[in-house]
Amino acid sequence: MRKTEAKSFVASYLDAWNEGNAGSVTDHLCSEGHYIDEVLHEDMTRETLFEALLDYFQSDQYFYEVMGDILCSGTTIAFQYCAKPLEPGKHSSPWHGAEFITLSGKSALEIRDYYQLPKERALNGTGKGRYVKSGLNQRGMGELLANLEQVMQREQLHLDPDLSLPKLAEHLNATVNHVSQAINAGLQTTFFDYVNHRRVDEALRLIQLDAGPHRAMLDIALAVGFNSTSTFYSAFRKVTGVTPGAYRRRVARRA
């Protein structure tokens, strides 16, 4: 990789952070890419990183800039950065970090982030600030989760293949940050896993009712909100431990 290409990638990547745009940041990862927060020991996919950044950008605002040279060797880029608070007095001091990026084509296959927070933030144990100042207490979380269950049952939102966290928050008349916190902290799962679990539950019901000529698995996948058989099979196996075909055969044997 040429140094000009490495500089261009880093500039675009940090611009996305400085714009507070979760989608633009995650767009720098390829579809199989991972972002690894070495301080919190979190390994995030594009989807989980997107959720974390929605929370982060609502609670913290910094300006990120490169410190020193951008190093590149083969498909690897390394650089140091400084994060400066945009609101003087909100946080007492800047903090520093370093990222190591492995590229696959023009996107990142892996981003490893090492950083050192100011003492006052490190003592909070918040890392880069997930759910800081969200304002959602345990009672509020319980009420939001109850509303979530009612809305999902009544409106069957998981069947919408374009359902997103912001769209769900709009249906719940809540902030994206609060909905994300309720699902992650209250249900101990991610938005994507939560939605996919409900979709798989509906697929199980359809397979059990499929007594006549079998519907194609693609038809079932599309009917419950998946966009492809590959994502359907992956989610189905994650929830049930078996493939859709194996589950269908199990149902047929019991009939």
Side-chain angles (χ1 to χ4, degrees), residues 136-153 168 172 174 178-190 194 198:
L136 186 64
N137 56 27
Q138 286 297 318
R139 180 177 178 179
M141 184 184 297
E143 292 174 350
L144 181 52
L145 288 175
N147 188 30
L148 171 64
E149 182 62 24
Q150 291 173 3
V151 169
M152 293 298 282
Q153 287 190 15
L168 177 59
L172 296 172
H178 283 180
V179 175
S180 179
Q181 182 182 356
I183 293 174
N184 281 268
L187 300 180
Q188 295 295 300
T189 189
T190 67
Y194 169 75
R198 297 194 77 108

Side-chain angles (χ1 to χ4, degrees), residues 52-69:
L53 289 177
L54 287 176
D55 301 324
Y56 177 63
F57 288 139
Q58 287 197 30
S59 61
D60 289 306
Q61 292 184 325
Y62 291 92
F63 179 79
Y64 299 85
E65 60 182 357
V66 173
M67 297 179 62
D69 289 335

